[in-house]
Amino acid sequence: MASSDCKGSDRIKRMLGKYGLTDFQKRVLLFVCTIPKGKTMSYKEVAVAIGHPNSYRAVGTALKENPLPILIPCHRVIRADGKLGEYSNGGTDAKRRILKEEGYIGKPAA
DNA sequence: TCTGCGGCGTGAG
DNA sequence: ACTCACGCCGCAG
């Protein structure tokens, strides 16, 4: 079951609606919430997945405004270059550390 | 190979 | 109502 990663994405939906977020935000956060452990996706990939292939920039902004950093693994979202990018919940070092813990080996820092 | 710029969506000034 | 900045990406020079 895919819900193993995010114990009840439906619950997330409810919370997002309560936070008064926009559809764009909800789609991004919800999609990121469904990313399996040990896997990473680029902002571009997420943008395309939600139907906004050119709004990768807005995707980053959406994750930045992430109201549920615990339920939503925004750290699994990295740049298209393979770099980690920024992380408002601890910094790039924390992001890389978490990914490493999940089994993802970040590319050699450039 | 590296640098600079435009563009998407949202929040704040 | 308008402008600017941001956890980015792709392209042109």
Side-chain angles (χ1 to χ4, degrees):
Chain A
M1 303 158 227
S3 43
S4 307
D5 310 296
C6 205
K7 301 182 172 87
S9 54
D10 303 290
R11 191 162 92 173
I12 306 296
K13 289 181 188 173
R14 253 182 290 153
M15 300 177 83
L16 294 178
K18 193 171 79 164
Y19 278 78
L21 301 173
T22 63
D23 294 283
F24 187 83
Q25 283 276 56
K26 293 176 191 174
R27 289 185 209 187
V28 175
L29 300 170
L30 204 42
F31 181 77
V32 173
C33 168
T34 57
I35 298 178
K37 177 186 172 191
K39 182 177 177 61
T40 51
M41 297 190 73
S42 61
Y43 296 94
K44 178 79 174 290
E45 294 291 293
V46 176
V48 173
I50 64 176
H52 288 248
N54 253 49
S55 308
Y56 31 73
R57 187 65 135 80
V59 172
T61 305
L63 291 173
K64 181 184 175 186
E65 297 288 308
N66 175 15
L68 307 169
I70 310 300
L71 303 178
I72 301 176
C74 42
H75 59 266
R76 286 181 193 159
V77 185
I78 60 176
R79 303 206 334 186
D81 309 274
K83 297 184 182 68
L84 304 182
E86 295 291 305
Y87 193 57
S88 304
N89 197 75
T92 50
D93 64 304
K95 189 170 182 176
R96 176 166 32 187
R97 186 178 59 189
I98 296 169
L99 292 172
K100 190 177 180 181
E101 290 286 308
E102 299 194 342
Y104 176 78
I105 310 301
K107 286 199 172 186

